C-alpha cells in the first residue's frame, strides 16, 4: 500500500468460503473488498454492495418475492428511514451520501444494503428496476 500515510488506521476484512479466502486491507471508512469467484463484496461510505451474488443467496433472502420499484434516468434526494436491502435487476446509478466527497456506483446484478438514517442523492444514469426490502 505504497503512498498511503502510515498514520491512517486500517481494517482487515476476511471472507471465508469453502473454496477460498481473500483478505483485503483498506483505509477505515473507505472501501472494504472481498472477492470469491465471480462475486465481489465491498463496503464504501456505509453502503454495502455484493456484486453478482449467487442465486442461492438471493433465494435464501427471498429477493424475488420482494416488491419492485423502478425509475427513469433522474437525480433526486433520498433519506432511509429504515435499513433497505435491494437487488438491482437493471440500470445504473451513483449514490452520493450527504457530506461525502464521492459517490458509490451501483448497477444491475448488485445486492445493496443502505443503512437506516442515511441521507443521500441518487443520480440515475440508466433507468433502474429493483427488488427492495425495508427492515
Amino acid at each position: 500500500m505504497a503512498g498511503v500515510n502510515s498514520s491512517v488506521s486500517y481494517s482487515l476484512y476476511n471472507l471465508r468460503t469453502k473454496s477460498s479466502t481473500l483478505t483485503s486491507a483498506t483505509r477505515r471508512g473507505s472501501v472494504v473488498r472481498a472477492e470469491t469467484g465471480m462475486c465481489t463484496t465491498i463496503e464504501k461510505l456505509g453502503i454495502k454492495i455484493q456484486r453478482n451474488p449467487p442465486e442461492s443467496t438471493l433465494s435464501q433472502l427471498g429477493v424475488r418475492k420482494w416488491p419492485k420499484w423502478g425509475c427513469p434516468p433522474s437525480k433526486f434526494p433520498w433519506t432511509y428511514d429504515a435499513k433497505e436491502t435491494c437487488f438491482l435487476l437493471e440500470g445504473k446509478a451513483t449514490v452520493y451520501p450527504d457530506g461525502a466527497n464521492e459517490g458509490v456506483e451501483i448497477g444491475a446484478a448488485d445486492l445493496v444494503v443502505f443503512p437506516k438514517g442515511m441521507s443521500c442523492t441518487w443520480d440515475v444514469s440508466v433507468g433502474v428496476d429493483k427488488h427492495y426490502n425495508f427492515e
Side-chain angles (χ1 to χ4, degrees):
M1 301 199 70
V4 176
N5 184 329
S6 61
S7 67
V8 175
S9 63
Y10 291 89
S11 64
L12 291 178
Y13 181 87
N14 293 315
L15 178 64
R16 298 193 188 282
T17 66
K18 293 178 185 173
S19 60
S20 66
T21 299
L22 175 107
T23 301
S24 177
T26 63
R27 190 188 275 174
R28 184 175 298 263
S30 184
V31 176
V32 175
R33 180 180 313 257
E35 296 182 28
T36 57
M38 298 297 291
C39 181
T40 301
T41 302
I42 67 168
E43 181 172 352
K44 183 176 179 183
L45 303 173
I47 300 170
K48 297 176 186 175
I49 306 165
Q50 187 175 5
R51 301 199 192 281
N52 226 9
E55 186 59 39
S56 60
T57 298
L58 301 177
S59 294
Q60 190 174 38
L61 292 170
V63 167
R64 308 274 185 224
K65 297 177 183 175
W66 295 349
K68 284 174 98 177
W69 176 86
C71 75
S74 54
K75 190 172 184 176
F76 57 91
W78 190 257
T79 297
Y80 291 90
D81 295 328
K83 175 179 153 185
E84 179 188 348
T85 302
C86 63
F87 179 69
L88 278 77
L89 299 167
E90 59 185 48
K92 185 176 179 181
T94 304
V95 179
Y96 296 91
D98 287 0
N101 294 328
E102 59 184 319
V104 179
E105 292 185 11
I106 59 174
D110 286 349
L111 182 65
V112 185
V113 179
F114 296 97
K116 178 181 178 178
M118 174 178 274
S119 292
C120 59
T121 298
W122 275 66
D123 187 356
V124 180
S125 57
V126 177
V128 166
D129 188 23
K130 69 176 186 174
H131 284 288
Y132 67 94
N133 184 50
F134 287 104
E135 293 178 26

